Amino acid sequence: MDPKLTQVSQFFDRFKAAFVRNDYSTCSNHLSELKVLLTEFRSLPPLFEDTPNAVHELTIARDIYEHAVVLSVKLEDQDAFERDFFQLKPYYTDAFNRLPPSPQEYPILGLNLLRLLVQNRIAEFHTELELLSSTALDNPCIKHAVELEQSFMEGAYNRVLSARQTVPHETYVYFMDLLAKTVRDEIAGCSEKAYDSLSLKDAKQILLYSSDQELLEYIKEEHPEWEIKNGFVFFQRAKESAPCKEIPSLQLINQTLSYARELERIV
């Protein structure tokens, strides 16, 4: 075997051993070294040179970047996820005819769709979806993300939250928790505009919590401006603290009349 390929394989074995031990700090260090070593392989994107060990080099590089994506989820680092996913993507799109299929491809593609949904990047979500084959769209990992987006757009927030119990891959839990927070923040924002107060029972039901304790912890962490008194949640203080901009009605009327006079002259 080529000495450089041997070195990469040895480093990758250390990375995987640390990953199994949940030693993510060591994993990050090994990953940085692996990425530097991979730059010496001319068979990798964007060159794709036909070297003697091209298939082996492409395969191990794809495996490394797949582990990097999963590591970023474990570290809850969305920026690293985006970087590593875009480094991995050419192995799925440009090198697919040179490599055997990866069992991690659809889980990772679905994971990226879920990330875009969590970040409310809906246009990019649909762009990525358009690039997928019909086979990919039938995969449970992709279907899960598509159904979530549909439920989110329909406002069926109970379906979004219950989907956490049926995730197709354990790495999805992190983004599902973020999506649940996004959903609850959306509901909370609408609730404080629609109501002056709610009973704890109604607030718990609206925010889709199963216990009073979960509700109280959410209010304490996310909405300390809400007031809890006598079994009710009062939003009035939050409304009073929100800035209220005065509409310059007289100025708008004058501008409209001015436009009407100008149009009359033109006609």
Side-chain angles (χ1 to χ4, degrees):
M1 186 185 291
D2 180 78
K4 291 179 182 178
L5 197 53
T6 301
Q7 188 180 15
V8 169
S9 297
Q10 290 172 346
F11 265 102
F12 191 34
D13 287 339
R14 292 176 205 160
F15 173 94
K16 289 187 284 189
F19 193 86
V20 170
R21 299 194 307 269
N22 296 329
D23 184 358
Y24 300 135
S25 176
T26 301
C27 284
S28 296
N29 293 334
H30 286 322
L31 182 60
S32 298
E33 294 168 334
L34 282 165
K35 286 181 178 180
V36 172
L37 291 171
L38 289 177
T39 60
E40 299 182 27
F41 293 155
R42 300 185 65 81
S43 61
L44 304 186
L47 299 176
F48 287 114
E49 289 188 7
D50 193 14
T51 60
N53 295 311
V55 173
H56 197 166
E57 291 167 358
L58 284 164
T59 302
I60 196 169
R62 182 183 67 182
D63 203 4
I64 288 168
Y65 285 120
E66 285 176 339
H67 277 76
V69 167
V70 176
L71 176 64
S72 68
V73 174
K74 298 290 186 183
L75 295 173
E76 301 184 355
D77 187 340
Q78 294 185 51
D79 291 335
F81 180 101
E82 186 163 9
R83 287 194 304 272
D84 293 326
F85 176 79
F86 280 119
Q87 287 177 302
L88 170 63
K89 194 176 178 181
Y91 295 88
Y92 295 151
T93 56
D94 301 329
F96 71 95
N97 57 344
R98 305 177 67 181
L99 297 174
S102 167
Q104 295 301 315
E105 180 175 354
Y106 293 144
I108 287 176
L109 290 175
L111 197 59
N112 181 56
L113 289 173
L114 191 54
R115 173 186 67 89
L116 294 173
L117 186 57
V118 166
Q119 295 175 350
N120 203 27
R121 293 159 66 176
I122 305 301
E124 291 175 64
F125 178 96
H126 286 284
T127 300
E128 290 292 326
L129 211 56
E130 290 293 327
L131 297 173
L132 298 178
S133 66
S134 56
T135 304
L137 293 173
D138 287 333
N139 186 273
C141 293
I142 307 299
K143 277 186 172 180
H144 179 78
V146 172
E147 289 168 1
L148 270 175
E149 190 267 346
Q150 290 171 347
S151 298
F152 192 72
M153 292 298 105
E154 291 169 7
Y157 295 142
N158 57 329
R159 292 209 305 265
V160 175
L161 296 183
S162 62
R164 188 188 187 280
Q165 310 305 320
T166 57
V167 291
H169 199 272
E170 56 95 14
T171 52
Y172 283 45
V173 172
Y174 165 62
F175 284 119
M176 286 303 300
D177 287 342
L178 290 179
L179 189 59
K181 183 182 180 304
T182 300
V183 164
R184 288 194 171 100
D185 288 345
E186 185 74 17
I187 296 172
C190 294
S191 297
E192 66 181 13
K193 288 178 174 63
Y195 305 102
D196 289 331
S197 65
L198 281 172
S199 68
L200 285 174
K201 180 182 177 182
D202 289 339
K204 180 176 70 176
Q205 185 176 357
I206 287 175
L207 288 165
L208 306 169
Y209 279 114
S210 56
S211 70
D212 289 348
Q213 185 61 35
E214 289 176 329
L215 172 64
L216 294 173
E217 285 178 5
Y218 173 78
I219 293 172
K220 182 180 178 181
E221 291 177 8
E222 303 297 332
H223 294 280
E225 73 278 9
W226 292 359
E227 187 178 1
I228 301 171
K229 188 167 61 177
N230 300 328
F232 281 81
V233 182
F234 292 89
F235 306 120
Q236 194 60 38
R237 198 170 67 181
K239 291 181 179 180
E240 290 170 354
S241 62
C244 181
K245 293 184 178 179
E246 183 181 345
I247 298 173
S249 53
L250 189 59
Q251 181 183 349
L252 289 172
I253 291 170
N254 286 330
Q255 284 179 349
T256 304
L257 290 172
S258 176
Y259 295 151
R261 284 194 297 270
E262 291 298 325
L263 280 170
E264 190 176 346
R265 288 175 189 170
I266 293 170
V267 173

